[in-house]
Amino acid sequence: SDQKQLSIALSACDNEHTNYEIYGEDSGEEIVYCQGQAVWREAVTPKATIEIEKLRVQLTDQALNSATLYSAFSDAGLNYGPSLQPIIKVERGNQQVCAELRLPISAAGTNNDYVLHPTILQGALQAAAIGLMDYAHEAGQLELHSPLIQWNCTMHWNLCAS
């Protein structure tokens, strides 16, 4: 793969706004890949919160533990090794899923290497896939009715000078 150098230009517009431009060069010609305006805000927008206990009241299907869940995934042809089994417990209701995730022991020591650990992201996607599964009335029986879709994830975070 060809490596290209990108440049970021910042210019103050006023006390609250800064214009930015991300650009590079291709065959001697400058190409602008992104441009816009950043706004400085003292007040941070509060994060969305979910009241777990209120959500759990709506999760009426039987909770599944990790052994039952990963056995069902395996029966459906989705074999996850120990390092890709972060779900501890999962509960489901009408178009809702709540999963308890934990980084497996085999991935210990790597949690500070990432903003969002890939194994935790994988667990969130596995929990979302449970929405594609039908629960049988007998405990522990799951059947996958739809193929898993390809997931795309974009992460956004604030970049601050230290």
Side-chain angles (χ1 to χ4, degrees):
S1 68
D2 294 333
Q3 292 187 356
K4 295 186 180 188
Q5 182 173 339
L6 293 178
S7 299
I8 301 173
L10 301 172
S11 61
C13 185
D14 57 38
N15 286 342
E16 291 184 4
H17 300 86
T18 300
N19 294 326
Y20 68 89
E21 185 175 271
I22 300 173
Y23 62 95
E25 191 175 298
D26 191 13
S27 301
E29 185 177 330
E30 184 177 293
I31 298 175
V32 176
Y33 295 103
C34 179
Q35 62 184 1
Q37 191 173 70
V39 178
W40 178 260
R41 302 238 190 251
E42 289 291 332
V44 176
T45 305
K47 295 179 181 178
T49 58
I50 298 174
E51 295 184 36
I52 297 295
E53 294 310 315
K54 284 185 179 179
L55 173 63
R56 283 200 167 124
V57 171
Q58 300 170 29
L59 303 173
T60 56
D61 292 349
Q62 180 181 2
L64 296 172
N65 64 28
S66 62
T68 303
L69 176 67
Y70 287 107
S71 175
F73 275 136
S74 181
D75 291 346
L78 303 169
N79 299 304
Y80 297 106
S83 65
L84 291 175
Q85 295 184 14
I87 296 177
I88 302 301
K89 180 175 92 173
V90 66
E91 299 171 84
R92 188 177 94 157
N94 185 22
Q95 298 183 359
Q96 299 180 91
V97 175
C98 182
E100 180 182 343
L101 306 176
R102 185 173 301 138
L103 197 60
I105 293 172
S106 59
T110 62
N111 56 327
N112 291 329
D113 296 342
Y114 305 95
V115 174
L116 176 61
H117 198 284
T119 301
I120 297 300
L121 178 58
Q122 177 66 32
L125 297 175
Q126 291 169 2
I130 292 176
L132 298 174
M133 300 177 107
D134 277 345
Y135 285 45
H137 291 293
E138 295 108 39
Q141 292 184 343
L142 299 171
E143 186 176 344
L144 185 62
H145 283 284
S146 301
L148 292 178
I149 61 172
Q150 181 178 348
W151 298 88
N152 292 315
C153 178
T154 303
M155 292 180 53
H156 300 273
W157 61 88
N158 294 330
L159 301 175
C160 301
S162 55

